[in-house]
Amino acid sequence: YADVSKVFVGTFGGGIYESTDNGINWSKSNSGYCGQAINEFAMTSTSIFAATPNGVYKSTDGGETWTESNNGLESSNGNVHNVFSITASGDTLYAGTQDMGAYKSIDNGATWTAVNNGLLWFGSQSILSMKAAGTTIFAGTYGVGIYRSVDGGNNWVQTISGLAHQVVESIVFMGSDVYCSQWNGISKSTDNGNTWVSVNNVAGVYQLAVSGN
């Protein structure tokens, strides 16, 4: 993840690292975060957010310090959900959790509300990847492909026509096209997710990123 002056990397065992020289040198940036794993980053106009096994953490000072941002992400027993994925559309945030579906925040992460209408299958409640543009959000699941919402997360429909595999690790936009990575390769949609075609058969692609075109 990169902002104007920094690059951030989330690791499995070492938390957050940042670089201020385009990746030549790295230093830890874990102040306030006591965990070890980082699943994904997202940014609004004022803050950086990290999706972690301990919920969502937020930084308002360019990643120098982090605080919990989990109000509404707690289960009935008080435990915070494992957040696999997080994405922002303007200042609206969407988070994908393990077994508990999708959540939305419209107040810069201060509070979260479940938005799961249409996520009916058990596998759709574990959301490994999310990507949002405007009020359209794609959610990649563990075992039941991709779900799409066109109304800001209020309703979801499964969109898997042509999808090669149902475990979706990463989703990105490139112009008007949507790409997703699965255990057995990468698929592409040119019609807003209505249909998908395989573009390679490279196995084990866990993350996609776009730079320019």
Side-chain angles (χ1 to χ4, degrees):
Y1 167 83
D3 72 5
V4 174
S5 60
K6 296 181 180 180
V7 180
F8 293 93
V9 169
T11 68
F12 182 74
I16 301 165
Y17 284 78
E18 71 171 31
S19 173
T20 58
D21 54 13
N22 206 33
I24 297 173
N25 297 285
W26 297 89
S27 59
K28 280 193 173 184
S29 182
N30 289 330
S31 178
Y33 178 59
C34 298
Q36 297 296 316
I38 303 294
N39 295 322
E40 194 169 31
F41 294 104
M43 185 176 72
T44 63
S45 60
T46 60
S47 307
I48 305 168
F49 293 84
T52 83
N54 310 107
V56 173
Y57 277 73
K58 171 182 176 180
S59 176
T60 58
D61 56 8
E64 296 301 313
T65 60
W66 300 86
T67 57
E68 288 187 33
S69 184
N70 291 324
N71 186 14
L73 288 173
E74 305 91 349
S75 60
S76 58
N77 62 8
N79 292 330
V80 176
H81 298 322
N82 179 359
V83 178
F84 284 139
S85 53
I86 191 165
T87 188
S89 178
D91 285 337
T92 300
L93 290 156
Y94 300 91
T97 67
Q98 179 181 3
D99 298 334
M100 299 303 293
Y103 285 76
K104 178 179 181 178
S105 175
I106 58 173
D107 54 11
N108 208 40
T111 59
W112 296 88
T113 303
V115 284
N116 289 323
N117 187 42
L119 298 176
L120 302 178
W121 296 88
F122 176 75
S124 69
Q125 299 291 313
S126 286
I127 299 175
L128 301 180
S129 53
M130 300 189 86
K131 197 67 176 178
T135 58
T136 298
I137 311 103
F138 288 86
T141 70
Y142 185 84
V144 287
I146 291 177
Y147 279 73
R148 180 186 63 198
S149 173
V150 296
D151 57 8
N154 292 326
N155 299 281
W156 298 89
V157 295
Q158 194 180 38
T159 172
I160 59 173
S161 178
L163 200 64
H165 199 282
Q166 303 305 305
V167 175
V168 180
E169 300 280 358
S170 181
I171 301 171
V172 296
F173 299 138
M174 180 179 284
S176 60
D177 298 333
V178 188
Y179 289 81
C180 70
S181 65
Q182 306 125 84
W183 282 359
N184 62 340
I186 299 170
S187 294
K188 173 183 178 180
S189 176
T190 59
D191 56 9
N192 201 36
N194 291 326
T195 59
W196 300 86
V197 295
S198 178
V199 294
N200 74 14
N201 59 357
V202 177
V205 179
Y206 292 103
Q207 192 65 255
L208 297 173
V210 174
S211 177
N213 294 319

